[in-house]
Amino acid sequence: MMEKQAKSSLAALTLGAIGVVYGDIGTSVLYAMKEVFGSGHVEFTPDNIYGILSIFFWTLTVIVSIKYVTLVLRADNNGEGGLVAMLALASMAVKDRPVLRHRMMMVGIFGTCLFYGDGVITPAISVLSAVEGLEVVSPAFKKYVIPLTIVILFGLFAVQKRGTSGIGKFFGPITVIWFAAIAALGVYHIASHPEIMWAISPHYAVMFMVNEPAITFLILGAVVLCVTGGEALYADMGHFGKKPIRLAWFYVVMPSLTLNYFGQGALLLSDPSAVANPFFNMAPDWLLVPLVVLATAATVIASQALISGAFSVTKQVIQMGFLPRLQVLHTSVNDTGQIYIPVVNWGLFVVIVLAVVMFKSSSNLAAAYGIAVCTDMLITTVLTFFVIHYSWKYSFGLSLLATGFFFAVDLAFWASNLMKLLEGGWFPLLIASVIMIFMLTWRDGRALLDKKRNEEALDLTSFLEAVFLSPPVRVEGTAVFLTSSKGNVPNAMLHNLKHNKVLHKQNLFVNVQNHEVPWVEEKERLEITDIGNGCWQVVIHYGFKDDPDVPSALAQLSGMGSEVNAMTTSYFLSRDSIVPTVGGGMAPWREKLFAQMHLNASSAADFLNLPSNSVVELGSKVEI
């Protein structure tokens, strides 16, 4: 019975992985081949078709099958994957090398910022390329492509607040139908030219590269489109596990993609005019409209996975201290990973619509797409080296050998995409750079704020000793004072004593600390120190994927020397107003930006899940 349940669970996880993890790479068949031959660089000959197909197949094999599925999936951070998890793992491995760690953090954070650039381009190019299938049905539909794309995208973003639990159960089955459909279309055309399957041989790719080295370099910027979404299989490892992701790739996704690309090649051998849109030209006339509908559904699912990823990454970056608190809404009572962040949702939508209107076609967007993908792939390879060498303790030579080849491949794709910098590659880089400025400004501003607080702070133990020489009136109940630094007197306590002149019977000085690990176990959640006279110093530990919940954490104090009764507990917070000053630690415009970000940050009470009817906020001004 247990074995049967395990198999059932594995099948369900594999089905889910097909729907969520591989939606992006599964829809690359819509535009990858079209962009290679549509570039005008490749002469349209049978030998070149064989060469391009071979390059496609071995790109999928080397980058996805070997690099990501075989190597990178091993670099898990307590079961979690993705660039943020990899960055945390790599930075912890070199924590005794501060200069190296700082540089690595900068590279990793920029890669995380590029994820948002990818998050803009992916829904835009995917949905637009699917809707462009209507142009194959009839050229008269061309004028409706952009408006219809925007309507579909608006509908997609409008339903995000409802969560993915309701529609998520359809992701896997619809995506399986999609992969079955693209595989069937491929087989249909391969049947007329079965010899096209010889292109699997790597010698066709090698011959093309040897005979046309310059053209090979130029078209790599389009070839990389066939592996878009490769990062997703690593990012979603925590949701599905390594085995389901690997099974889905080798048994469903890779075979389906290969059959479809080779089917497109067979079609081009028979009908060179199909190069305008080889994917939709694979379908007979009666199947075109259903195929457009199915392709649109598949691209919406691919976009959904990336949008959900943007919410998750944002929450992790907030926990790591690179963004201010934002309103995070949970959309499921069962799955804590299902969240909705309104400002991220509608911010993405606005920039995506801007991208659709600016670039107007999937071909134009393709120029903007590759550079974000390739830069992230390059950064992942670099971080993997540090994990293998410093965390896994393999020798420098072996670590370099394991990642050096992939670095060379990624570098070739990245360099090729730099050729498209002025054609649109600047767009995701601009998005990433703007977000990077926000992140670094918030990090540096928080450091200045903490420094200022520490300079003016009083030692908690000494202060309490002085207070209890002539204690104020003690009142019933528990006071929880949130403090940014352990061992310092919270401003909220100073204001409370000054204005109310009372002290509760029980006082908890709580410091919340976030760590560069995904999860902190419940048994390691709390540190408590009795500092006498009914006062305790409490430290609560969270990982970057944990949901902060201070009342729930404090409930664990029962039996540890302190009891917290929810009905008689008040939470005291300091609400600082930031005042930028001339000659501070940052440029004036950055200090003003930090002050505005601090002002617009969501309430600490909401972020820490404090009961709203038990929170007292006391304000103060801080000059930086």
Side-chain angles (χ1 to χ4, degrees):
M1 179 63 74
M2 293 293 290
E3 184 179 350
K4 188 174 182 180
Q5 288 179 342
K7 288 182 178 178
S8 175
S9 176
L10 180 61
L13 287 170
T14 303
L15 180 64
I18 292 171
V20 175
V21 178
Y22 293 111
D24 191 4
I25 198 169
T27 55
S28 61
V29 293
L30 290 167
Y31 44 79
M33 185 72 77
K34 178 177 73 171
E35 294 310 316
V36 170
F37 284 103
S39 65
H41 298 302
V42 183
E43 186 180 350
F44 207 81
T45 66
D47 285 344
N48 285 350
I49 291 174
Y50 275 71
I52 294 299
L53 287 176
S54 187
I55 290 174
F56 266 66
F57 177 80
W58 287 101
T59 297
L60 288 168
T61 300
V62 170
I63 292 182
V64 183
S65 298
I66 302 177
K67 176 186 169 181
Y68 280 101
V69 175
T70 304
L71 176 63
V72 174
L73 279 186
R74 293 187 60 208
D76 65 292
N77 190 337
N78 293 327
E80 292 296 322
L83 201 53
V84 174
M86 173 78 84
L87 175 60
L89 195 63
S91 66
M92 285 190 295
V94 296
K95 60 184 178 183
D96 55 340
R97 296 172 172 82
V99 175
L100 177 60
R101 184 178 184 275
H102 174 74
R103 291 173 180 171
M104 186 187 301
M105 288 292 289
M106 291 302 96
V107 171
I109 289 298
F110 184 69
T112 303
C113 294
L114 273 172
F115 176 84
Y116 292 96
D118 191 16
V120 168
I121 304 296
T122 293
I125 191 174
S126 298
V127 177
L128 194 54
S129 61
V131 178
E132 283 173 348
L134 291 173
E135 296 180 35
V136 179
V137 177
S138 171
F141 286 122
K142 184 173 183 178
K143 61 184 178 182
Y144 299 111
V145 168
I146 291 179
L148 185 57
T149 298
I150 293 173
V151 168
I152 292 171
L153 288 168
F154 176 78
L156 173 62
F157 282 89
V159 301
Q160 293 302 311
K161 62 183 178 182
R162 300 181 182 273
T164 58
S165 57
I167 57 175
K169 58 186 177 183
F170 299 111
F171 283 8
I174 290 174
T175 311
V176 167
I177 293 171
W178 168 253
F179 280 118
I182 65 175
L185 285 172
V187 170
Y188 174 74
H189 287 279
I190 290 170
S192 61
H193 286 281
E195 69 278 7
I196 197 73
M197 294 305 296
W198 285 110
I200 286 178
S201 172
H203 87 276
Y204 286 104
V206 173
M207 285 173 57
F208 183 90
M209 290 187 284
V210 170
N211 294 332
E212 304 285 356
I215 291 176
T216 300
F217 177 74
L218 290 174
I219 65 167
L220 285 180
V223 171
V224 76
L225 296 174
C226 76
V227 293
T228 53
E231 286 281 339
L233 66 88
Y234 176 49
D236 288 312
M237 177 171 59
H239 293 108
F240 300 100
K242 301 173 188 177
K243 190 172 182 179
I245 290 174
R246 286 170 172 158
L247 287 174
W249 173 253
F250 287 115
Y251 286 96
V252 177
V253 182
M254 176 71 169
S256 299
L257 292 175
T258 301
L259 288 171
N260 191 265
Y261 282 126
F262 280 63
Q264 290 186 42
L267 170 65
L268 294 178
L269 287 176
S270 302
D271 181 14
S273 65
V275 72
N277 199 323
F279 177 79
F280 283 108
N281 279 313
M282 294 175 79
D285 292 342
W286 61 269
L287 192 58
L288 263 177
V289 173
L291 187 61
V292 170
V293 173
L294 180 59
T296 302
T299 56
V300 166
I301 290 172
S303 302
Q304 172 63 61
L306 202 143
I307 295 166
S308 299
F311 296 155
S312 178
V313 167
T314 301
K315 178 175 173 288
Q316 293 172 31
V317 171
I318 292 171
Q319 296 280 80
M320 291 183 72
F322 283 92
L323 280 177
R325 297 180 303 271
L326 299 174
Q327 184 184 27
V328 178
L329 304 176
H330 289 266
T331 59
S332 171
V333 295
N334 299 316
D335 186 355
T336 58
Q338 290 192 22
I339 59 174
Y340 169 68
I341 304 179
V343 67
V344 174
N345 186 67
W346 293 111
L348 273 178
F349 173 72
V350 169
V351 184
I352 287 170
V353 170
L354 178 64
V356 170
V357 172
M358 279 176 52
F359 290 94
K360 295 184 172 60
S361 73
S362 60
S363 292
N364 293 337
L365 275 166
Y369 201 10
I371 197 162
V373 174
C374 291
T375 307
D376 265 351
M377 291 196 306
L378 200 60
I379 290 172
T380 296
T381 302
V382 172
L383 293 179
T384 302
F385 167 80
F386 287 102
V387 170
I388 294 174
H389 182 48
Y390 291 103
S391 183
W392 298 352
K393 306 300 182 183
Y394 283 98
S395 68
F396 178 85
L398 186 60
S399 303
L400 191 63
L401 185 66
T403 56
F405 172 70
F406 299 117
F407 182 83
V409 172
D410 292 340
L411 189 63
F413 280 108
W414 182 77
S416 176
N417 273 280
L418 281 183
M419 304 292 289
K420 301 189 292 184
L421 186 63
L422 298 180
E423 299 174 33
W426 58 269
F427 188 66
L429 293 179
L430 176 63
I431 294 171
S433 298
V434 170
I435 295 173
M436 184 82 167
I437 289 171
F438 277 91
M439 285 190 181
L440 295 183
T441 297
W442 180 255
R443 183 204 62 176
D444 294 345
R446 283 295 303 274
L448 286 174
L449 184 59
D450 289 342
K451 180 181 178 183
K452 185 71 173 180
R453 284 172 175 164
N454 289 332
E455 288 174 352
E456 299 175 350
L458 302 173
D459 177 68
L460 179 61
T461 304
S462 302
F463 178 79
L464 290 177
E465 288 176 355
V467 167
F468 287 115
L469 289 176
S470 179
V473 175
R474 304 292 292 267
V475 297
E476 293 296 327
T478 300
V480 176
F481 294 98
L482 276 298
T483 173
S484 59
S485 299
K486 177 184 176 182
N488 290 340
V489 180
N491 284 335
M493 184 184 191
L494 294 174
H495 289 299
N496 187 49
L497 286 173
K498 177 181 177 182
H499 297 291
N500 298 324
K501 298 178 175 59
V502 297
L503 196 64
H504 286 71
K505 283 287 181 68
Q506 181 172 250
N507 298 275
L508 304 179
F509 300 93
V510 176
N511 174 234
V512 177
Q513 294 186 5
N514 295 302
H515 300 275
E516 293 176 2
V517 294
W519 316 99
V520 172
E521 294 184 22
E522 288 298 320
K523 63 182 180 181
E524 299 175 351
R525 180 78 67 210
L526 290 180
E527 287 180 39
I528 180 170
T529 305
D530 187 348
I531 50 181
N533 296 297
C535 299
W536 284 267
Q537 174 77 64
V538 181
V539 180
I540 306 178
H541 300 279
Y542 289 111
F544 58 77
K545 294 206 73 174
D546 282 318
D547 289 313
D549 190 331
V550 169
S552 177
L554 294 181
Q556 297 180 33
L557 290 175
S558 178
M560 299 174 67
S562 176
E563 298 285 339
V564 178
N565 187 331
M567 300 301 294
T568 59
T569 299
S570 299
Y571 296 88
F572 291 85
L573 303 176
S574 300
R575 183 74 175 183
D576 297 321
S577 295
I578 306 301
V579 181
T581 58
V582 178
M586 293 192 295
W589 67 269
R590 290 187 70 202
E591 290 192 357
K592 291 178 181 178
L593 175 60
F594 173 70
Q596 195 64 39
M597 292 172 73
H598 193 275
L599 178 65
N600 292 323
S602 70
S603 166
D606 291 337
F607 188 76
L608 298 174
N609 201 35
L610 305 182
S612 57
N613 59 350
S614 301
V615 174
V616 179
E617 285 195 302
L618 300 168
S620 61
K621 288 187 177 181
V622 180
E623 294 184 352
I624 60 170

